[in-house]
Amino acid sequence: TSTVFFEWEASTLAESYTIYITNLVDGSKIEASTIDDTIGIVLDRATPYSWYIASKLASVTVESETWKFYNSGPGVETYAPFPATINAPEMAASINTANVTLQWTGSDVDNDIATYDVYLGANNNPDVYAANVTASELQVSVTSGMIYYWKIVTKDEVGNTSESGVFQFEVL
């Protein structure tokens, strides 16, 4: 959690204010009253919220517009790798060989790529063909007359992952 300070323009026609805050993930609501034009409220981190103010004078209440914000979490200490760039074979390529070399390029802000999982198969949601590959290419045997689908899942040293998206090629 963290304390978020809300501030608004004071009105000379208001005796008090009520702030209404809604957690946009679980729908829970917070309501707090004050006579000041600022208030600190303890909120969950890494959570989106909306809020508005109701100004009150005797029996008259006027509501502000509603604003949204994201109460960020702790700073990021590790980053997921970028999705691998598929180099070869290109999307929808036609290949006339029994062996294909799948090639890709991985990159990561932290420079801590550990391994790649290579998914390959005859359907558009291929299964793992080779796990924990350390190189950025892999030679595979293929059958003529087939369409193959493949993707790369990049894994870093702390367990973050990213997916390249599914690519396909046809073996003539």
Side-chain angles (χ1 to χ4, degrees):
T1 62
S2 66
T3 300
V4 176
F5 290 91
F6 296 87
E7 187 173 352
W8 53 92
E9 190 172 327
S11 171
T12 56
L13 302 176
E15 295 173 331
S16 67
Y17 305 95
T18 302
I19 187 169
Y20 297 90
I21 304 169
T22 302
N23 178 317
L24 297 176
V25 173
D26 65 13
S28 62
K29 298 183 184 299
I30 297 171
E31 182 179 328
S33 295
T34 181
I35 58 171
D36 297 319
D37 60 351
T38 183
I39 191 169
I41 305 286
V42 176
L43 298 174
D44 291 334
R45 296 186 98 180
T47 305
Y49 291 93
S50 67
W51 70 287
Y52 67 94
I53 296 292
S55 303
K56 297 179 184 176
L57 177 62
S59 63
V60 177
T61 300
V62 177
E63 293 180 356
S64 71
E65 63 182 287
T66 300
W67 297 281
K68 293 180 181 176
F69 70 98
Y70 184 80
N71 190 24
S72 64
V76 175
E77 296 178 19
T78 173
Y79 297 89
F82 293 109
T85 301
I86 301 300
N87 299 325
E90 293 179 0
M91 178 62 143
S94 295
I95 297 169
N96 192 9
T97 181
N99 293 307
V100 174
T101 301
L102 305 177
Q103 296 175 328
W104 61 91
T105 304
S107 60
D108 186 350
V109 171
D110 303 324
N111 247 356
D112 66 345
I113 292 175
T115 61
Y116 303 95
D117 287 346
V118 179
Y119 289 70
L120 176 70
N123 67 53
N124 62 1
N125 188 17
D127 294 325
V128 174
Y129 178 84
N132 300 319
V133 175
T134 56
S136 57
E137 68 177 43
L138 182 68
Q139 189 165 8
V140 296
S141 296
V142 292
T143 305
S144 63
M146 298 280 299
I147 295 177
Y148 287 90
Y149 299 87
W150 70 294
K151 70 178 180 179
I152 302 297
V153 173
T154 306
K155 301 186 291 188
D156 70 13
E157 292 174 359
V158 295
N160 296 316
T161 64
S162 66
E163 289 189 21
S164 66
V166 177
F167 285 72
Q168 73 178 51
F169 61 91
E170 179 180 14
V171 181
L172 301 175

